[in-house]
Amino acid sequence: MKDPFAPSPLQIKAALARGRTRPPFPLASNRQSWAGIRKRMGPTQVREAYASAKKALRTARPDLSATLFLEYQRAGWREGYERPRMERRHRLSALAVAEALEYRGWFLDGILNEAWAILEESSWVYPAHQGSLTNLDHPVPDLGASHTGHDLAELAVLLGNKLEPGLTRRIRQELERRLWEPYL
């Protein structure tokens, strides 16, 4: 049943058009702002940020198998899928922050690989919210999917043209397919 209080896609589009044109964070290309962020973070936090990113580069990305997804439906266990799903997103965030801090391209391939893996996930929805395996023709937009879409959109804005153009295009395509089109 459609929520009678939910805005229509046209209302959302109009609100976005009226909205803020600048992101609520400095672009990675704004080196002066990121120098200030680096200073406010302090050397310990900066070292920790790099350590998290380097760990993401040297460790295997967690698997998100169909059987892990089905564990909730079969046994009511959410954590088997949700933990590695969350780890993938933390890895991407760590790499993005490290690249924004350094801005030398050292983390770009790791970002590309992590983001691409997330884009390749059949669903961004938590198994408890979807139950069965994904029907790719009918994506389920939920808060988990929206959060993933938000993270990917911010990544594209944060790093802009430093990202592989194909990745930026794919982010836009997946956001439209998974989060916009289901409401049309």
Side-chain angles (χ1 to χ4, degrees), residues 50-61 91 95 110 114:
Y50 287 141
S52 292
K54 288 176 183 176
K55 180 181 177 189
L57 291 176
R58 71 174 182 274
T59 59
R61 179 180 312 105
R91 290 164 58 96
L95 290 162
E114 291 298 326

Side-chain angles (χ1 to χ4, degrees), residues 3 6 19 33 39 64 69 74-75 80 92 105-106 121 124 128 141 154 162 165 171-172:
D3 180 353
S33 289
K39 186 176 180 178
L64 289 176
F69 191 90
R74 293 175 175 173
L92 180 59
W106 296 340
E121 293 171 6
W124 293 342
E154 280 193 342
K162 291 275 279 189
I171 288 170
R172 178 177 295 279

Side-chain angles (χ1 to χ4, degrees), residues 69 72-73 76-78 81-82 125-132 142:
F69 191 90
Y72 179 76
Q73 181 185 5
W77 193 48
R78 299 171 68 131
Y81 187 87
E82 289 181 11
V125 177
Y126 287 112
H129 301 172
Q130 186 168 313
S132 62
D142 79 337

Side-chain angles (χ1 to χ4, degrees), residues 86-98:
M86 191 177 307
E87 185 181 335
R88 283 180 169 208
R89 283 137 181 88
H90 287 170
R91 290 164 58 96
L92 180 59
S93 293
L95 290 162
V97 168

